[in-house]
Amino acid sequence: MGSQGGFGQSKEFLDLVKSIGEARSKAEEDRIVLHEIETLKRRISEPDTPKRKMKEYIIRLVYVEMLGHDASFGYINAVKMTHDDSLVLKRTGYLAVTLFLNEDHDLIILIVNTIQKDLKSDNYLVVCAALNAVCRLINEETIPAVLPQVVELLGHSKEAVRKKAIMALHRFYQKSPSSVQHLVSNFRKRLCDNDPGVMGATLCPLFDLITIDVNSYKDLVISFVSILKQVAERRLPKSYDYHQMPAPFIQIRLLKILALLGSGDKQASENMYTVVGDIFRKCDSSSNIGNAILYECICCVSSIYPNSKLIESAADVIARFLKSDSHNLKYMGIDALGRLIKTSPEIAEQHQLAVIDCLEDPDDTLKRKTFELLYKMTKSSNVEVIVDRMIDYMISINDNHYKTEIASRCVELAEQFAPSNHWFIQTMNKVFEHAGDLVNIKVSHNLMRLIAEGFGEDDDDADSQLRSSAVESYLRLIGEPKLPSVFLQVICWVLGEYGTADGKFSASYITGKLCDVAEAYSNDETVKAYAITALMKIYAFEIAAGRKLDMLPECQSLIEELSASHSTDLQQRAYELQAVTGLDARAVEIIMPSDASCEDIEIDKNLSFLDGYVQQAIEKGAQPYISENERSGMLNISNFRNQYQHEASMHGLRFEAYELPKPSLPSRIPPVSLASTTELVPVPEPSYLRETQKVASLPSVSNADPSELKLRLDGVQKKWGRPTYSSSETSTSSSTSQKTLNGVSKVDATGTVNSKPHDNPYSSRKPQVEISPEKQKLAASLFGGSSKTDKRGSTVGHKAGKASSHAVEKPQSTKAPVKTAEEKIVVQPPPDLLDLGEPTVVGSPPSVDPFKQLEGLLETTQVISSVNDGAVGANKAPDIMGLYAETTAGSGPSTDDVNPLSGLTDSAVKKTLGGTTTTQPTQSSKGPNTKDALEKDALVRQMGVTPSSHNPNLFKDLLG
């Protein structure tokens, strides 16, 4: 090689390549490359470096990048080299930048102008180099800059330029189809180019276009067939031959295009039969490229309209592939057979022994491809053997990805071709047991639905036998040490629904097994939830049947444990179980009817049965329900400023005179009502809106039953935690709402009950199918029996329509208790503790003048005791149901007879004690009275409130 080395490179570069090749470790290789990087950095930065040396440095940079190291310090030198006038240097620069840069690199902008200039060059080699760079570096934003010049080059005199221009347009179409959509006709024109290379390059973009829109290119079928015929007849130059095959890659591309154009089109396919048959006869199968063409012919035959002669030719080729000793040819034969059996299923029977040999081959890749073939050729007569072999193979492998795929295929085949439901259940048990949680959750739902619906006929005995066999099989499997979570869910559901249905197993035995499952899988909350629900079903069925309920100690301990669980779902299920066991047989039968899991549930989404109750509550003064959209609309940000100004103005003192009390008979008011009158502590930072507080002064409240009053603490400052106040929107419309998740009823303030229905995964129906009477017993062969594929639409049959008497009763029975509770609770709007406006009179005011009572009829000690009692009651948590019980029972002493102030709200007390409220301290209309002043001062001191710590004007108004 001399001092310059081979290929015109220096000896230093060749020594670098030799030293890297002789490196014994990655660390040694990295050390050599890093030393080379330091050398290149130093030499590239030297001034007046000869161009010949710079060219070698750029090539050495490419070598460094190929070895995985960063050579970005030399990118700019490669870009500069593309500007050189020398052809060798320019091509070297273009080669380097296409390897160094990507289409989004910052240096691309420096190359666009150079590419535009080189595309106009008279030297076609320079144009070809620029087109190579265009295909690699031009992105979607820079396509318009070079597109006109590339289109112009389609008519270049040199075939190499035309070919690369076609490739550049194809690349533009892949990056941005809209930018070259108007130029796709140029591909049709170039298909008739005189040069085979240009024509072959045009096939690639046409294949992409035909894949998207087949019908637009149906007129080209004759042209493609003519081209393929000329290629097969060796009319192309010898330079296009490869291993003595004429232009094999053009033939493969044409066969792919014809397969697309002839799919489902008999007329187009008839034009292809002759040329495809000629290729079958003339193609040499002694070389790999010849076998590749034959394989593509089989794919084409399987796609176009069927032809018996072509199918026979394809079957002969497949037989040669399967009989070959090469695993690659066997693999290709299995794949081709899988494609061809879609058109002609009987062909598989001719190669059954070869397929079985491939199934037992130690080559795992070939074995998997064979299972794909068996999956495609499954029918009702051989499904048992095929699925059993697939399950055995699934057990033997450790690849979870492929195990998941095999499990899904087993499930699909079992659902489509199962000869009996009993076999389907046993097969699903095997899949669940060995595939574990890799099985889709929908499979478990389908299995539960099958067991619930039965055979789809009016044969209750057959359905009962099916469920009994399922229960027995699950009781045998439940003792296994480790079962998948999905499978355990199915087991718990089946045992809960049908564990005691046939009477073979007692409730104690089934519940004991379920408790064992919940204890063994204590970390799986889903399994525990299924187990506790199954326990509830069994106990409910026992109660409904009138049998004595005997709860095992372990079940009792499980319920107690779950009642204190951190999971709210488990807590709710445990409490529901305790509630169900306390009901009578009639209620339990309505709530949880036996064998009703597949019945449709009719749900009244509008809850129309509560319309009368809601109207009655509104007439009594309850607020109408405001939807969530309307509530959110009230608080949008555009209204915040207006609301703030309105709130500030409404919280000021009012100057209107109080109304005179209306004389009426005194009424008995519970002592709890005094709690609201004694909470006179002003709220310093109210955050609720004033508009909704106006509802507190409804005229209809005075006519309401006194027993319907209850304690309201909305707006009162909390004693513990952060000093927050409930907003008026929430406090007035949903202060007594009881909201429960997971489908439990939600009671709003207006008495509306919103119930979220439980989704029933077994309510969907599958079409009724018949089991094939031609079922045959298969031994080891996979291909016996009828050649027809008796494909079942579904394994799961329809259960005959059972009497859905419970469908209507279920919503009514679950809503009735809520409705009763609503009738007991009458919602009142909360009183505003600082409301100095119009008073709201609750109950009937006293018939005597309250001013005279304050003059001496009321003793100080009585007032103090009443106030203290009310204050204590105000600090207690509001118990609505307890208040209702006290008011309705009417038991216990009442202070109403002693304390006449108990019949007044806070506004009434303010009116009685202070008269008209003004911004200045006012004197009592009766004049000063020293004795009364001292008594009132003592009253305030007994309440623990000093005027100096609160609003002085307020206390001056109260004390006169």
Side-chain angles (χ1 to χ4, degrees):
M1 293 183 182
S3 60
Q4 295 298 323
F7 308 105
Q9 306 302 325
S10 66
K11 186 176 183 299
E12 183 180 6
F13 177 54
L14 296 179
D15 290 341
L16 170 68
V17 176
K18 182 179 178 181
S19 62
I20 291 176
E22 294 175 351
R24 297 184 177 182
S25 64
K26 179 63 176 175
E28 183 180 357
E29 177 186 306
D30 292 342
R31 180 179 57 80
I32 297 172
V33 174
L34 291 175
H35 180 268
E36 176 68 14
I37 289 175
E38 295 299 325
T39 303
L40 290 175
K41 284 183 179 179
R42 183 176 63 256
R43 294 186 179 180
I44 285 178
S45 60
E46 293 176 355
D48 301 329
T49 303
K51 294 182 178 180
R52 177 174 162 275
K53 282 288 185 183
M54 184 60 69
K55 170 177 171 288
E56 180 182 327
Y57 296 155
I58 295 298
I59 294 175
R60 289 162 73 172
L61 284 174
V62 172
Y63 195 71
V64 168
E65 284 268 335
M66 289 171 56
L67 293 174
H69 293 264
D70 182 31
S72 58
F73 60 90
Y75 288 176
I76 188 64
N77 299 95
V79 172
K80 291 178 180 178
M81 189 167 288
T82 60
H83 303 162
D84 201 283
D85 294 334
S86 172
L87 176 62
V88 176
L89 296 179
K90 182 181 288 290
R91 296 184 67 180
T92 303
Y94 274 127
L95 174 64
V97 296
T98 54
L99 296 175
F100 289 157
L101 309 180
N102 56 61
E103 60 183 21
D104 297 323
H105 200 277
D106 296 337
L107 296 178
I108 294 296
I109 192 65
L110 302 177
I111 306 176
V112 174
N113 290 336
T114 304
I115 291 176
Q116 288 178 325
K117 183 183 69 174
D118 291 341
L119 288 177
K120 298 178 182 179
S121 175
D122 295 333
N123 190 337
Y124 80 95
L125 295 177
V126 174
V127 177
C128 289
L131 287 173
N132 288 337
V134 164
C135 294
R136 173 67 178 160
L137 301 177
I138 297 299
N139 54 28
E140 188 174 354
E141 287 78 12
T142 53
I143 285 177
V146 298
L147 182 59
Q149 298 171 356
V150 172
V151 174
E152 185 179 352
L153 291 175
L154 291 174
H156 198 275
S157 58
K158 289 291 183 177
E159 61 276 0
V161 176
R162 298 198 302 271
K163 178 180 177 180
K164 292 184 181 297
I166 289 291
M167 296 169 63
L169 280 181
H170 185 202
R171 184 63 173 167
F172 293 165
Y173 176 79
Q174 291 176 338
K175 288 182 177 292
S176 177
S178 59
S179 62
V180 295
Q181 195 67 41
H182 59 290
L183 300 173
V184 293
S185 60
N186 290 278
F187 297 136
R188 287 173 171 263
K189 297 177 183 178
R190 291 301 101 194
L191 189 63
C192 302
D193 197 278
N194 294 328
D195 184 74
V198 179
M199 180 271 300
T202 309
L203 296 177
C204 296
L206 284 176
F207 177 77
D208 292 346
L209 292 170
I210 293 173
T211 303
I212 298 174
D213 185 10
V214 176
N215 295 326
S216 300
Y217 297 90
K218 289 284 188 179
D219 57 321
L220 294 179
V221 172
I222 303 299
S223 300
F224 289 131
V225 170
S226 175
I227 295 172
L228 181 58
K229 185 177 181 180
Q230 295 180 48
V231 173
E233 293 176 355
R234 299 179 180 271
R235 296 187 183 181
L236 268 63
K238 285 287 185 180
S239 58
Y240 289 94
D241 289 0
Y242 178 78
H243 286 270
Q244 300 180 354
M245 290 299 300
F249 301 105
I250 293 179
Q251 290 190 55
I252 291 174
R253 182 64 62 179
L254 285 170
L255 288 170
K256 288 180 178 291
I257 293 175
L258 292 178
L260 292 175
L261 294 174
S263 178
D265 190 340
K266 183 178 180 180
Q267 182 178 0
S269 300
E270 289 175 351
N271 296 322
M272 309 173 190
Y273 292 156
T274 303
V275 64
V276 174
D278 291 342
I279 295 177
F280 270 124
R281 289 189 298 270
K282 296 179 181 179
C283 191
D284 183 14
S285 61
S286 60
S287 62
N288 286 336
I289 191 64
N291 291 325
I293 295 176
L294 290 174
Y295 170 77
E296 203 60 50
C297 288
I298 296 174
C299 295
C300 180
V301 169
S302 64
S303 297
I304 64 177
Y305 194 83
N307 179 268
S308 58
K309 293 183 179 180
L310 291 180
I311 291 176
E312 292 178 2
S313 301
D316 294 339
V317 174
I318 291 175
R320 294 203 301 267
F321 287 165
L322 294 176
K323 293 177 182 178
S324 173
D325 295 332
S326 172
H327 281 181
N328 292 333
L329 291 181
K330 286 183 177 180
Y331 184 94
M332 197 159 54
I334 292 293
D335 185 77
L337 184 60
R339 294 174 181 271
L340 200 60
I341 59 174
K342 297 178 182 179
T343 304
S344 181
E346 65 275 3
I347 291 182
E349 298 179 5
Q350 305 172 11
H351 310 286
Q352 49 184 308
L353 297 179
V355 172
I356 293 176
D357 291 340
C358 293
L359 192 62
E360 298 174 353
D361 196 280
D363 189 342
D364 196 59
T365 305
L366 181 59
K367 189 180 296 186
R368 293 186 180 186
K369 179 58 70 172
T370 306
F371 275 117
E372 292 182 11
L373 172 63
L374 295 179
Y375 169 74
K376 295 176 182 178
M377 55 185 290
T378 303
K379 50 190 175 183
S380 60
S381 59
N382 60 7
V383 63
E384 298 182 47
V385 177
I386 291 178
V387 171
D388 288 343
R389 296 296 294 267
M390 294 176 73
I391 291 177
D392 292 340
Y393 178 68
M394 180 185 67
I395 297 173
S396 64
I397 62 177
N398 296 322
D399 185 359
N400 286 339
H401 177 74
Y402 194 66
K403 183 178 287 189
T404 303
E405 184 178 355
I406 290 289
S408 63
R409 288 181 176 177
C410 290
V411 171
E412 184 178 351
L413 293 178
E415 289 181 346
Q416 291 180 350
F417 304 106
S420 65
N421 285 347
H422 179 75
W423 178 87
F424 176 78
I425 292 176
Q426 298 301 324
T427 302
M428 291 297 99
N429 291 348
K430 292 181 182 179
V431 173
F432 277 122
E433 185 177 358
H434 298 292
D437 294 325
L438 302 176
V439 183
N440 195 320
I441 190 64
K442 294 181 179 179
V443 177
S444 63
H445 293 166
N446 291 339
L447 178 58
M448 289 186 284
R449 185 171 57 211
L450 167 68
I451 297 174
E453 293 182 349
F455 287 96
E457 302 173 357
D458 296 333
D459 190 355
D460 293 337
D461 294 337
D463 295 346
S464 300
Q465 184 179 1
L466 170 67
R467 293 159 187 164
S468 299
S469 63
V471 169
E472 291 175 359
S473 63
Y474 291 154
L475 287 175
R476 287 194 300 268
L477 291 172
I478 205 171
E480 295 291 332
K482 185 63 177 177
L483 291 176
S485 176
V486 178
F487 193 28
L488 286 170
Q489 296 172 24
V490 177
I491 291 175
C492 291
W493 185 87
V494 173
L495 293 181
E497 286 284 342
Y498 308 107
T500 59
D502 56 357
K504 293 182 180 179
F505 304 98
S506 64
S508 300
Y509 180 74
I510 301 296
T511 54
K513 290 290 186 180
L514 292 172
C515 290
D516 294 341
V517 170
E519 182 179 357
Y521 300 89
S522 57
N523 295 330
D524 194 334
E525 291 187 358
T526 305
V527 172
K528 292 170 70 176
Y530 270 79
I532 194 69
T533 302
L535 288 174
M536 180 169 58
K537 292 178 183 178
I538 292 176
Y539 289 141
F541 298 157
E542 290 293 303
I543 295 173
R547 291 187 286 268
K548 182 181 179 181
L549 185 62
D550 186 13
M551 186 175 294
L552 298 177
E554 53 266 30
C555 296
Q556 186 65 37
S557 60
L558 175 64
I559 296 172
E560 294 175 357
E561 176 188 352
L562 297 183
S563 299
S565 173
H566 293 290
S567 173
T568 56
D569 179 56
L570 294 178
Q571 274 193 25
Q572 179 180 345
R573 292 173 188 263
Y575 286 130
E576 288 175 354
L577 172 56
Q578 293 176 345
V580 168
T581 54
L583 298 176
D584 58 4
R586 173 63 178 168
V588 172
E589 185 178 1
I590 295 176
I591 294 173
M592 301 191 69
S594 177
D595 192 18
S597 58
C598 292
E599 294 183 2
D600 297 330
I601 300 177
E602 298 180 2
I603 299 174
D604 185 4
K605 296 182 179 180
N606 297 325
L607 303 178
S608 57
F609 58 90
L610 291 175
D611 290 345
Y613 170 74
V614 171
Q615 185 63 31
Q616 183 181 1
I618 293 177
E619 291 175 356
K620 291 183 178 181
Q623 298 181 31
Y625 174 72
I626 302 175
S627 63
E628 184 177 358
N629 295 334
E630 295 176 357
R631 291 197 300 270
S632 60
M634 292 179 181
L635 295 177
N636 57 37
I637 194 170
S638 62
N639 295 334
F640 276 179
R641 183 173 181 181
N642 295 334
Q643 291 177 355
Y644 177 79
Q645 294 176 353
H646 186 64
E647 180 181 359
S649 62
M650 292 299 292
H651 276 279
L653 298 179
R654 297 185 180 180
F655 298 93
E656 296 84 358
Y658 289 127
E659 292 181 359
L660 293 176
K662 299 179 180 180
S664 62
L665 295 175
S667 59
R668 296 176 57 86
I669 306 297
V672 186
S673 62
L674 187 58
S676 62
T677 66
T678 58
E679 282 290 331
L680 301 178
V681 182
V683 182
E685 296 177 0
S687 61
Y688 48 87
L689 297 179
R690 189 65 183 175
E691 294 87 337
T692 56
Q693 295 297 339
K694 294 180 181 180
V695 186
S697 57
L698 292 174
S700 60
V701 177
S702 59
N703 299 328
D705 187 4
S707 62
E708 296 176 347
L709 296 176
K710 61 185 181 302
L711 182 63
R712 301 304 300 270
L713 297 178
D714 300 83
V716 179
Q717 186 176 10
K718 294 182 179 179
K719 303 302 181 185
W720 307 105
R722 298 176 60 186
T724 57
Y725 302 90
S726 58
S727 66
S728 64
E729 305 287 344
T730 307
S731 63
T732 57
S733 64
S734 60
S735 60
T736 61
S737 64
Q738 302 173 358
K739 299 180 180 179
T740 308
L741 300 177
N742 298 329
V744 182
S745 59
K746 178 172 65 177
V747 183
D748 292 334
T750 58
T752 308
V753 180
N754 295 331
S755 176
K756 180 180 179 181
H758 290 284
D759 295 331
N760 189 351
Y762 316 111
S763 59
S764 60
R765 303 282 182 171
K766 286 194 175 183
Q768 182 175 355
V769 295
E770 295 180 1
I771 300 174
S772 173
E774 301 177 359
K775 172 187 170 185
Q776 303 176 8
K777 294 182 180 180
L778 301 179
S781 175
L782 301 175
F783 304 92
S786 174
S787 62
K788 291 185 179 181
T789 57
D790 305 327
K791 216 170 192 182
R792 296 179 54 186
S794 170
T795 305
V796 184
H798 263 312
K799 195 169 188 177
K802 295 185 178 181
S804 57
S805 60
H806 305 290
V808 182
E809 293 178 1
K810 281 185 179 180
Q812 299 290 344
S813 61
T814 55
K815 300 302 177 187
V818 180
K819 182 175 178 181
T820 306
E822 278 295 314
E823 292 175 352
K824 295 180 180 180
I825 301 174
V826 177
V827 179
Q828 297 286 351
D832 190 355
L833 296 179
L834 292 182
D835 190 0
L836 302 181
E838 295 297 326
T840 301
V841 181
V842 180
S844 301
S847 58
V848 296
D849 190 354
F851 291 98
K852 293 182 179 181
Q853 291 182 343
L854 295 176
E855 286 283 19
L857 295 178
L858 179 63
E859 293 297 330
T860 306
T861 57
Q862 294 174 340
V863 175
I864 293 173
S865 63
S866 301
V867 171
N868 290 337
D869 292 342
V872 172
N875 292 330
K876 294 181 180 179
D879 185 0
I880 304 302
M881 295 305 297
L883 177 60
Y884 171 78
E886 292 177 6
T887 55
T888 54
S891 61
S894 175
T895 59
D896 298 339
D897 299 333
V898 181
N899 188 2
L901 290 178
S902 61
L904 302 176
T905 61
D906 54 346
S907 300
V909 172
K910 295 174 189 177
K911 175 191 117 175
T912 304
L913 294 177
T916 304
T917 304
T918 61
T919 56
Q920 298 296 332
T922 59
Q923 297 291 336
S924 174
S925 60
K926 286 183 172 289
N929 190 325
T930 305
K931 179 181 178 180
D932 292 344
L934 291 175
E935 290 177 352
K936 294 173 183 176
D937 185 72
L939 168 62
V940 174
R941 292 180 183 277
Q942 289 291 336
M943 294 173 62
V945 181
T946 58
S948 60
S949 63
H950 298 286
N951 188 349
N953 293 335
L954 173 64
F955 277 84
K956 288 179 182 180
D957 292 339
L958 292 175
L959 300 178

